[in-house]
């Protein structure tokens, strides 16, 4: 007899870490449909991704940025020298800025987008639309939404905002009002219709267009040292991507040049404005100097001051001389009246020649008269005649002297007036000089400032002219008809490989999560309890549970016969008659094994009785017809009936069956009392083998009580049903109850694989050949 040790310890083996091929095959076999579904789903998603994703095209260009500052040739030093990194980074920020892209929008016609409605996808009709839309909008309620246009075939059309908006009818080349937007739609006669089923257009807001440009534009450096960068633009329409990128490149060159010289331009503008202001001020000063010169007949007041002093002195001399002459004339006139005329040479030279001559003659007459007084009497004719001549000449000379004195008095008044005027000018000349000098000083300052600003302006202009933007387009925007996405081959490959990876992950997950017993190794790794045998799984139908009778040539029947043979090794002395069949939980096939094992023993001419000890759950599929369900083991143990009254015969001779009977309130106590042991002793006298179909020991303790009364206990594990923890539960039961007469059996093991029960030459009815081709090794 084979016995297990008293303290059986679980065996640890490196096989714990090895791959269990049988378990793997079982996992594949049980989940092959889900794996195929997963494969189809992932590849279907990849196909739908390729089929329903619009092609994305990329147009790119390469620019070389280099700022040559040639202003140093004029002696002007540059103020800032940016490193290469900062230069390219600044240019990239400029290209991707909203300010720059706003300029691109201002010079591009992107306000209206035209689309064709396809049977699968919608395509944008760039520069090739069936109609042209112009609009005037009071509000933007209809912007950024599709406006469908349905051509009625004539000059009329129907507009609809969105899919459920209100429809509006209009005519081509006429105004149509739609939600605050006045539309003017012209038909494109050159457009050729394809297989599209409709058209719509979108009125784009500026923010939407800026967002579109920002999302689609990419600028990145290619070589920092070479000052090269790459600009790319992505769009679903390759022509549109190329056109926009060409526009960006051209505007960037001009805009970048403006930005580079913005500071100089602002300085030049400021200097130019200041020069204009200074020119106006200098013109005012020049007008002042011109007027001053015209008014004062000079522009040198110091010299004029000297001239004025000299003129005043000359006038004083003239006054003095005229005053003396007038005094002398008065003296002469008084002398003539008194008859005492004495004329000096100085007086004669001061008088006009005619007057001087008359006075000389008058003087001579006076002398002759004096001489006549000595010779003649005053009453004589000669004396009177001389007196008459003297009177005549004196009257004439007096008149002449009077006239001359009046002339000299007039000249003296003129001289006094002129002197007074010169004296007044002499007093005002210092003020005029001061104002003139002040204005002249300001004029010279403005003149110097003007010249300085002119020089600065020239320097700024030279600097601006010397900053030559040597921006070269190394590679212009290219028109590519090869989409960059979706990469159909890659997506298909990813779907195909991903499906296999997902299948492997699923199989691995199911493999790891599968804690069921799948082979003999799962039992042998944990416990060293002897293995009685293996019963393969079968799809053959048995109406009363006696498989060995219904299918005597099946693999299951042969396996049960092998179990009967193996039990002989545990019955060397021939005294072991009680066989307990148990399991951890229900459904592991212990009742099937107990019933068919008893049938095989009965077929070998042994008298066998099967006791159903599961009084908590009576059997339904029985090999016999129980005439009175109220009789059974439970009634025998309470001495209500004898076992002879409860026994039922099966369709197989020498094989009897005692049902469990009605459900008692205390099944465990019934098995503990002496009636159960007495029952077994009585049965031993009548039968060769007593098979106990016990309750599951993992649920109730009734089975343990029955196993203690048995000579041999067969512990059933069902492949792909019993958990691996059930093997540990068996080990725990053995250690606690000190069992030494337990053997194990693996039930319902799949009939294929390395660990299967090897009866390959048996033909199993109902087996599907195509599954064998898939899973058979």
């Amino acid at each position: 007899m084979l016995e297990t040790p008293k303290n059986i310890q679980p065996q640890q083996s490196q096989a714990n870490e090895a791959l269990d091929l049988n378990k793997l095959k079982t996992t594949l076999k049980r989940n092959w449909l889900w794996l195929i579904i997963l494969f189809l789903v992932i590849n279907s998603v990849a196909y739908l991704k390729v089929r329903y994703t619009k092609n994305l095209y990329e147009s790119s260009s390469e620019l070389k940025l280099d700022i040559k500052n040639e202003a140093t040739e004029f002696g002007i030093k540059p103020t800032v020298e940016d490193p290469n990194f900062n230069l390219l980074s600044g240019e990239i920020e400029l290209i991707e800025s909203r300010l720059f892209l706003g300029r691109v929008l201002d010079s591009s016609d992107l306000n209206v987008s035209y689309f064709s409605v396809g049977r699968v996808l919608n395509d944008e009709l760039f520069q090739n639309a069936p109609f042209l839309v112009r609009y005037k909008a009071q509000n933007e309620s209809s912007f950024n939404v599709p406006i469908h246009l349905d051509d009625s075939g004539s000059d009329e059309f129907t507009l609809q905002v969105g899919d459920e908006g209100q429809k509006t009818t209009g005519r081509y080349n006429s105004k149509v009002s739609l939600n605050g937007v006045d539309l003017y739609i012209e038909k494109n006669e050159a457009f050729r219709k394809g297989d599209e089923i409709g058209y719509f257009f979108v009125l784009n807001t500026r923010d939407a267009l800026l967002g579109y440009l920002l999302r689609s534009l990419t600028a990145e450096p290619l070589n920092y040292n070479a000052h090269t960068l790459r600009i790319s633009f992505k769009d679903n329409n390759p022509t549109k991507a190329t056109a926009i990128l060409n526009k960006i490149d051209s505007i960037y060159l001009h805009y970048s040049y403006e930005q580079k010289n913005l500071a100089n331009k602002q300085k030049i503008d400021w200097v130019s404005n200041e020069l204009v202001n200074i020119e106006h001020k200098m013109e005012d000063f020049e007008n002042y100097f011109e007027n001053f010169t015209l008014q004062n007949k000079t522009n040198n007041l110091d010299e004029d001051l000297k001239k004025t002093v000299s003129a005043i002195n000359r006038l004083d001399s003239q006054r003095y001389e005229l005053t003396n002459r007038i005094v002398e004339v008065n003296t002469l006139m008084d002398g003539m009246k008194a008859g005492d005329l004495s004329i000096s040479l100085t007086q004669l030279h001061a008088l006009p020649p005619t007057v001087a001559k008359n006075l000389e003659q008058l003087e001579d007459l006076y002398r002759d008269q004096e001489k006549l007084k000595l010779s003649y009497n005053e009453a004589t004719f000669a004396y009177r005649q001389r007196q008459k001549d003297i009177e005549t000449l004196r009257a004439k000379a007096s008149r002449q002297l009077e006239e001359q004195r009046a002339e000299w008095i007039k000249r003296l008044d003129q001289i006094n007036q002129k002197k007074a005027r010169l004296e007044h000018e002499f007093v005002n000349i210092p003020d005029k000089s001061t104002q003139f000098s002040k204005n002249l000083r300001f004029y010279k300052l403005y003149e110097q400032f003007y010249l300085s600003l002119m020089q600065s302006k020239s320097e700024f202009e030279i600097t601006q002219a010397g900053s030559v933007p040597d921006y070269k387009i190394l590679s212009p925007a290219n028109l590519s008809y090869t989409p960059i996405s979706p990469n159909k081959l890659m997506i298909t490959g990813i779907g195909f490989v991903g499906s296999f990876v997902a299948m492997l992950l699923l199989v691995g997950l199911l493999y790891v999560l599968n804690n069921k017993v799948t082979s003999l190794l799962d039992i042998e790794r944990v416990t060293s309890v002897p293995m009685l045998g293996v019963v393969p799984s079968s799809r053959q139908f048995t109406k009363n549970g006696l498989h060995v009778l219904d299918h005597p040539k099946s693999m299951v029947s042969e396996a049960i016969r092998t179990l009967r043979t193996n039990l002989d090794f545990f019955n060397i002395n021939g005294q072991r008659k009680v066989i307990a069949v148990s399991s951890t939980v229900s459904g592991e096939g212990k009742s099937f094994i107990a019933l068919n094992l008893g049938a095989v023993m009965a077929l070998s001419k042994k008298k066998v009785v099967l006791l159903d000890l599961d009084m908590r759950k009576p059997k339904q599929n029985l090999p016999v017809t129980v005439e009175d369900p109220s009789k059974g083991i439970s009634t025998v143990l309470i001495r209500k009936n004898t076992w002879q009254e409860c026994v039922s015969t099966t369709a197989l001779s020498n094989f009897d069956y005692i049902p469990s009977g009605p459900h008692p309130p205390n099944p465990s106590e019934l098995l503990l009392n002496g009636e159960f042991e007495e029952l077994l002793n009585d049965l031993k006298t009548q039968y060769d083998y007593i098979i106990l179909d016990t309750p599951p020991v993992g649920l109730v303790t009734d089975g343990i009580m029955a196993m203690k009364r048995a000579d041999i206990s067969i512990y059933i594990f069902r492949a792909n049903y019993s958990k691996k923890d059930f093997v540990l539960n068996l080990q725990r039961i053995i250690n606690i109850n000190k069992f030494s007469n337990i053997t194990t059996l693996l039930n319902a093991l799949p009939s294929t694989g390395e660990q299967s029960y090897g009866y390959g030459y048996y033909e199993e009815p109902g087996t599907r050949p195509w599954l064998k081709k898939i899973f058979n090794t």
Side-chain angles (χ1 to χ4, degrees), residues 395-409:
K396 184 178 180 180
S398 297
R399 187 173 61 256
Q400 289 178 342
L401 287 174
E402 188 70 30
E403 293 177 355
Q404 187 65 43
R405 186 181 68 175
E407 182 180 355
W408 284 346
I409 291 174

Side-chain angles (χ1 to χ4, degrees), residues 514-568:
N514 186 5
N515 63 345
K516 305 295 179 60
V517 174
T518 59
S519 65
L520 293 175
L521 290 176
D522 292 335
I523 301 175
E524 294 174 349
R525 289 171 186 165
V526 180
T527 182
S528 59
V529 176
M531 177 62 65
L532 182 63
V534 176
V535 177
S537 61
S538 176
R539 296 186 183 88
Q540 295 171 323
F541 175 72
T542 302
K543 63 180 180 178
N544 56 7
L546 290 176
H547 190 87
V548 293
L549 289 182
D550 296 338
H551 309 285
K553 294 183 179 181
S554 66
M555 295 172 59
V556 176
S557 298
E558 186 61 28
I560 294 175
R561 294 188 188 98
T562 303
L563 296 180
R564 179 194 62 188
T565 302
N566 291 339
L567 282 174
D568 292 339

Side-chain angles (χ1 to χ4, degrees), residues 327-339:
V327 171
E328 290 177 353
V329 168
N330 292 331
T331 302
L332 289 175
M333 291 180 69
D334 293 339
M336 285 193 302
K337 290 179 180 180

Side-chain angles (χ1 to χ4, degrees), residues 578 580 582 613 615-616 637 666-673 676-677 680 692 694-697 700-711 713 733 737 739 741:
V578 182
S582 185
L613 297 182
M615 293 175 282
R616 302 174 187 268
L637 295 179
N666 53 348
S668 299
E669 285 76 5
L670 292 180
L671 294 178
L672 286 174
N673 60 26
F676 178 63
E677 186 174 357
L680 293 179
L692 306 180
T694 68
V697 298
V700 293
T701 60
D702 304 1
I704 302 296
M705 306 303 172
M707 291 171 63
K708 290 182 178 181
R709 300 292 189 273
D711 297 323
S713 296
I733 292 173
N737 297 282
F739 286 131
N741 57 345

Side-chain angles (χ1 to χ4, degrees), residues 609-612 632-633 636 643 646-648 656-660 683:
V609 62
L610 175 61
L611 277 64
D612 185 3
I633 295 297
V636 173
W643 67 268
C646 300
V647 70
S648 300
D656 295 335
Y657 175 77
I658 301 177
S660 61
L683 293 175

